[in-house]
Amino acid sequence: MTSAPNPARPLAGVRIVEISSFVAVPLAGMTLGQLGAEVVRVDPIDGAADYHRWPEQFPPLQRGILEGAAANGLSGVVVTPRRKDVLLVDGSIFLRPEDGDLVRIEGRLSKAPSFWIRQVDIVRSYRRIAGTRMPVAVEAVANIRLAGRATFRMTYEYETVNGRRIGAPEPRSATSQTLASAEP
């Protein structure tokens, strides 16, 4: 049984293989994808022909992170915010290649949250719980003026997700392991 065509996605079911670079064809591939086509882009490992037109597009540190992601069976995407903000991360997003589900975000906050904090490196982990992608852990390492490095770790436990009962988290007593710890 076939369903009625969706007028908003007229190219649904069409697969397009894009082997190109520069602006025009990638833009066409994006547009065809928005119209419902499955667009598969093929690039050489060292980047397409236009890769070297923009200096330092992928710094060595980020390149290493992405290679490590492949070893873990994840796909990595480098993200660089266009503006500086304490809520934006300059780093990488890691996805499961089979379904594109978000697994982890890691990098440096694009703007320090205050004068006293020089930089913050963050790792946020996610998992599907009751069919919804939820944060399950966060770790932040901050470089604090006069105090040095400080690490904060937090894990999330859920009782309900979207009104569906999924667990019964128990309150825990505060210990030096669960509180933020300062490192010299």
Side-chain angles (χ1 to χ4, degrees), residues 2 26 44-45 52 60 62 70 73 75 78 81 99-100 105-106 115-116 120 141 161 169 178-179:
T2 60
I45 298 254
H52 298 288
Q62 292 177 332
S75 295
V78 174
D99 58 7
I105 297 174
E106 65 183 58
F115 166 80
W116 297 104
V120 179
V141 179
V161 173
T178 58
L179 295 177

Side-chain angles (χ1 to χ4, degrees), residues 7-90:
R9 300 181 57 80
L11 297 179
V14 175
R15 178 177 290 168
I16 296 170
V17 178
E18 178 188 320
I19 306 172
S20 65
S21 55
F22 301 99
V23 178
V25 177
L27 178 62
M30 181 184 74
T31 303
L32 294 170
Q34 291 171 338
L35 291 171
E38 177 187 357
V39 179
V40 178
R41 181 170 166 90
V42 179
D43 280 324
I45 298 254
D46 293 333
D50 60 353
Y51 171 75
H52 298 288
R53 290 179 62 196
W54 293 278
E56 293 299 313
Q57 187 176 8
F58 297 103
L61 173 63
Q62 292 177 332
R63 195 176 299 129
I65 290 171
L66 294 177
E67 289 167 3
N72 292 329
L74 300 175
S75 295
V77 177
V78 174
V79 291
T80 303
R82 292 184 181 197
R83 62 184 170 85
K84 295 192 180 296
D85 191 292
V86 296
L87 299 176
L88 301 176
V89 175
D90 186 357

